[in-house]
């Protein structure tokens, strides 16, 4: 057997290889190999006690799971708030603090810009879902609207007087009062239905004194002197009111541009009592045009949109872009009686068919 030399260099002097440390200077031989290998396989650092390691790992996994669940809860809560806000973006009043000629209180309307920012992410997600199901073709303006906030560059619109609260569709012609020819078919149909719609109002009208219980179908006043009865509210048909107003419902069914399938679409009677005034506010989007059919227009009534004054006429329609700042007033005497108009939300004539389909999908009424 071969032996290594001793430290002193004397042949024959030997020690057992397993007696020294690995890498020591003792002599060793081939029979010492198993021991050396056993020592080499020992861990350099001592092992962490397994019970302590399991406990720490469990705590870490629990903390990560709790953090993930909290994040999912916050994300879901924000989505639900945005969905509820989108569902409220309609009605015949549209201002943030009460009744106006532009729908129910709507998110992000003037005075509530934060609502529009909170819904922006939800609109983008719904639009992506629409594109996955159908296509991005023709979606350039809608995509920019979903990403860009409530106005051009996320700020105010034309001259600071056009401030749609929820959706600003870029590159649409913007005028406070839209020419009648832009929606000639629907305007002529509504005007020809004036007698039937006026009869329907007579059938559901009441004294509007406020001293008697609110009749069936009428919404609670959103501001003093402002009442409404809706046949469509935020894209949803109101069956009982439609049955009570067959002439008006028949006219709505014949319209080509009625915005009846998303939360921006409303139709119904709007009543303004003498002395009532609805201060300036803006509607939720510039993608719609509001058609006002005058039913009963006493003296002293005025509509100002984007700084331009106008007045209704019985049996005739006004087309209004209610995303402009607007004010409504009835300055007549109590003997003159209420001002009554039939309001219908129509698509803006320059919104293309593909864009209408996408917006109907994105702003579909809650199931």
């Amino acid at each position: 057997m071969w032996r290594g030399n001793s430290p002193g260099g004397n042949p024959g002097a030997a020690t057992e290889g397993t007696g020294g440390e690995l890498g020591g200077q003792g002599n060793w031989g081939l029979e010492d190999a198993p021991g050396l290998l056993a020592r080499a396989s020992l861990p350099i650092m001592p092992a962490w006690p397994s019970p302590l390691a399991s406990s720490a790992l469990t705590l870490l996994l629990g903390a990560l799971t709790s953090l993930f669940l909290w994040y999912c809860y916050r994300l879901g809560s924000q989505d639900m708030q945005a969905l509820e806000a989108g569902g409220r973006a309609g009605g015949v009043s549209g201002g943030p603090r009460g009744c106006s000629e532009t729908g129910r209180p709507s998110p992000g309307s003037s005075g509530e810009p934060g609502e529009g920012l909170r819904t922006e992410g939800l609109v983008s997600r719904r639009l992506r879902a629409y594109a996955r199901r159908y296509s991005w073709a023709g979606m350039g303006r809608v995509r920019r609207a979903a990403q860009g906030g409530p106005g051009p560059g996320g700020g105010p619109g034309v001259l600071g007087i056009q401030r749609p609260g929820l959706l600003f569709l870029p590159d649409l012609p913007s005028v406070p009062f839209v020419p009648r020819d832009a929606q000639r078919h629907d305007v002529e149909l509504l005007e020809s239905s004036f007698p039937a719609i006026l009869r329907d109002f007579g059938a559901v009208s009441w004294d509007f004194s406020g001293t008697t219980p609110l009749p069936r179908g009428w919404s609670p006043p959103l501001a003093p002197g402002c009442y409404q009865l809706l046949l469509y509210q935020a894209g949803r048909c109101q069956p009982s009111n439609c049955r009570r107003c067959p002439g008006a419902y028949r006219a709505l069914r014949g319209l080509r541009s009625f915005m009846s399938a998303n939360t921006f679409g409303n139709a119904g009677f709007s009543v303004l009592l003498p002395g009532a005034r609805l201060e300036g506010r803006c509607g939720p989007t510039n993608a719609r045009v509001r058609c006002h059919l005058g039913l009963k227009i006493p003296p002293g009534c005025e509509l100002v949109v984007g700084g331009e004054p106008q007045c209704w006429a019985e049996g005739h329609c006004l087309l209004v872009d209610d995303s402009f700042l607007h004010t409504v007033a009835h300055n007549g005497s109590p003997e003159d009686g209420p001002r009554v108009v039939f309001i219908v939300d129509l698509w803006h004539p320059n919104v293309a068919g593909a864009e209408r389909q996408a917006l109907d999908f994105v702003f579909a009424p809650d199931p």
Side-chain angles (χ1 to χ4, degrees):
M1 174 184 299
W2 181 86
R3 296 282 183 175
N5 293 333
S6 65
N10 297 325
T15 60
E16 291 294 328
T18 57
E21 293 293 335
L22 187 63
Q25 297 180 358
N27 295 328
W28 50 271
L30 291 177
E31 68 275 12
D32 301 313
L36 292 172
L37 290 175
R39 287 179 176 272
S41 64
L42 292 175
I44 297 176
M45 298 294 295
W48 200 0
S50 56
L52 182 59
S54 300
S55 177
L57 183 60
T58 301
L59 291 175
L60 178 62
L61 290 177
L64 291 175
T65 303
S66 300
L67 183 62
F68 176 73
L69 292 176
W70 174 83
Y71 172 77
C72 292
Y73 169 76
R74 288 296 302 273
L75 187 63
S77 298
Q78 292 173 358
D79 283 356
M80 287 304 298
Q81 291 173 1
L83 279 169
E84 292 170 0
R88 292 193 303 269
V92 181
S93 68
R97 297 180 183 85
C99 176
S100 81
E101 300 302 312
T102 55
R104 280 192 173 280
S106 61
S109 296
S110 60
E112 296 187 13
E115 289 286 353
L117 297 177
R118 286 199 292 272
T119 58
E120 181 179 335
L122 178 64
V123 171
S124 297
R125 287 194 295 274
R126 284 190 167 182
L127 185 60
R128 287 195 296 270
Y130 171 85
R132 286 194 297 269
R133 181 176 297 185
Y134 301 103
S135 169
W136 281 112
M139 293 296 102
R141 289 194 302 190
V142 179
R143 193 171 188 177
R144 286 160 56 196
Q147 296 172 348
V158 178
L159 300 177
I161 58 175
Q162 186 186 26
R163 300 172 179 268
L166 188 61
L167 179 77
F168 182 88
L169 198 62
D171 302 329
L172 284 181
S174 297
V175 290
F177 292 97
V178 180
R180 290 165 50 89
D181 289 345
Q183 296 287 9
R184 177 179 292 274
H185 174 272
D186 290 352
V187 165
E188 292 180 349
L189 177 60
L190 287 169
E191 290 180 348
S192 66
S193 303
F194 167 72
I197 296 175
L198 184 59
R199 283 195 303 271
D200 287 344
F201 175 74
V204 298
S205 181
W206 55 298
D207 61 5
F208 302 106
S209 64
T211 59
T212 59
L214 202 64
R216 178 170 59 94
W218 286 89
S219 302
L222 300 176
C226 179
Y227 296 89
Q228 57 186 13
L229 184 141
L230 300 176
L231 279 65
Y232 277 78
Q233 182 176 9
R236 287 184 173 278
C237 178
Q238 307 299 307
S240 61
N241 289 345
C242 289
R243 285 192 294 268
R244 299 171 64 197
C245 304
Y249 178 69
R250 191 179 304 112
L252 292 175
R253 298 293 293 176
L255 299 177
R256 294 177 179 174
S257 300
F258 179 32
M259 190 181 274
S260 60
N262 66 55
T263 56
F264 297 134
N266 312 276
F269 298 100
S270 174
V271 177
L272 196 66
L273 300 184
R277 181 178 181 86
L278 305 171
E279 295 297 339
R281 62 201 65 206
C282 298
T285 181
N286 67 328
R288 76 181 184 189
V289 172
R290 304 215 107 177
C291 182
H292 291 204
L293 173 64
L295 299 180
K296 293 185 177 183
I297 311 299
C301 296
E302 188 179 43
L303 170 65
V304 180
V305 182
E308 299 182 17
Q310 277 282 5
C311 188
W312 303 270
E314 295 181 0
H316 295 276
C317 290
L318 275 178
L319 295 181
V320 180
D321 185 343
D322 75 317
S323 64
F324 283 85
L325 189 69
H326 57 278
T327 301
V328 183
H330 185 347
N331 300 318
S333 64
E335 293 76 18
D336 293 330
R339 182 237 57 182
V340 183
V341 295
F342 186 70
I343 297 180
V344 185
D345 288 327
L346 306 176
W347 283 103
H348 191 291
N350 291 88
V351 178
E355 294 172 325
R356 297 181 185 187
Q357 181 177 335
L359 292 176
D360 280 345
F361 180 91
V362 172
F363 294 99
D366 293 336

